[in-house]
Amino acid sequence: MLAAIFTIRTTDADRFVRGILLKSMVLISAIGLITIFIMVDPNSPMRQSINAGIFAMLACLPIVFALAHYGKIHTGSLLLAIPLLLVIFFAVPRTEVLEKPSTMLLLIPTLIVGITIHSRAAAIFAASTVVLAVALMSSGYVPSVRGTNLAVVYLVATLLFIWLLIYTLERGRDEARKQSAAAQQRQALLAEREQELQHNNDDMQLKNAELERALALVQQLEMPIIPIGHSAVIVPLVGHIDMPRAEKIQANILGSVYQQRANHVIIDLTGATEIAPEVSDQLLKIIHTIALLGAHVMLTGISSTMAMALVEKDIRLDGIWTSGNLADAIHYVIEHSAP
């Protein structure tokens, strides 16, 4: 039941809070009006005017409550504050409008508008209250006595204090909202950057994996071991051969010779563009190591430049089968492998 009464049909959080406040003010106003109606002496001369004001306000309250329920906060607030201000000025006896507690009642409409609408609306409503009070005094409707001017000054000062209080609360609320929005924006930006970094990291890992596969493929292609039958392998060397490549070549050749039990190993240098000077000795060591495994090493594709470099370094290839082209070596292997 209570939840249904204080339901506000809106998705805006600020409007929801203001709607709850307006509904609460409606209920408080209804209780106050009923209390005044009960407490006023039925034989009092001002009973008739007070009754008219109370009935007018009680007729407005259900409409204000319905407007608040459907999120029409500004309209409902004005519909509550304006009749209340008029009732205070015209239903209360003229001699008591600017006397306590009637003067205190004049603060309530401004407070209602300031809480449920905005501080600017409160300022306009407070100014209207003062202007209406001065106008009624000037017209003679409200008797001007010695304490009346002081009551107007008190009314102005109190309304100004109420406006400053509402304005300060709104400034604090607005600043808190700005800080909250900035924090949410920073959090969203951090989440977006984190997602972007994660995406970049995934892309980098994918590229690294592709690069590793490409490097492995390049290593396989630049140092292939091609079997010929069951007893011979061809090792074509392509490109520039330095010490790191020479060491990989040695490991690949020795592993292949051991696994395949090869009797002949043809090392083809036709595609080798350049052999580093320090690699010549390493190549000779590879040949001798293969021989220790029981395989016959054959060198093919030695260019004139390579031959001169080997001679200048005094590297002798005695006992090693050499040929200018790969076809002779393959023909030789086929002949000597036939049963």
Side-chain angles (χ1 to χ4, degrees), residues 42-181:
N43 301 319
S44 173
M46 63 178 182
R47 176 64 184 260
Q48 186 175 358
S49 61
I50 290 179
N51 285 352
I54 290 175
F55 292 147
M57 284 299 302
L58 289 175
C60 291
L61 292 182
I63 301 174
V64 175
F65 194 89
L67 289 172
H69 183 78
Y70 289 99
K72 308 295 183 180
I73 311 302
H74 293 181
T75 305
S77 178
L78 293 175
L79 188 60
L80 176 63
I82 293 175
L84 180 60
L85 183 63
L86 296 177
V87 165
I88 295 171
F89 270 116
F90 296 104
V92 175
R94 293 180 293 174
T95 57
E96 299 180 10
V97 170
L98 296 178
E99 292 185 4
K100 295 180 181 179
S102 300
T103 306
M104 298 297 295
L105 294 176
L106 291 174
L107 306 176
I108 297 176
T110 300
L111 189 62
I112 292 173
V113 171
I115 292 177
T116 57
I117 300 180
H118 198 274
S119 60
R120 290 191 295 270
I124 295 173
F125 215 84
S128 301
T129 302
V130 175
V131 169
L132 185 58
V134 173
L136 292 177
M137 287 177 58
S138 301
S139 65
Y141 179 82
V142 176
S144 179
V145 295
R146 186 177 62 179
T148 306
N149 294 332
L150 185 61
V152 173
V153 173
Y154 170 78
L155 177 64
V156 172
T158 309
L159 288 172
L160 180 61
F161 173 77
I162 291 174
W163 175 80
L164 287 174
L165 179 62
I166 294 172
Y167 178 76
T168 303
L169 291 175
E170 284 189 350
R171 285 286 300 272
R173 182 201 62 191
D174 293 341
E175 187 65 26
R177 286 179 177 175
K178 288 180 180 178
Q179 293 179 357
S180 177

Side-chain angles (χ1 to χ4, degrees), residues 17 30 102 126 132 139 180 204 222 234 247 258 268 285 294 303 306:
V17 174
S102 300
L132 185 58
S139 65
S180 177
M204 188 173 295
E222 70 179 0
I234 300 175
E247 292 176 355
Y258 178 79
D268 181 43
K285 290 179 181 178
S303 64
M306 292 181 188

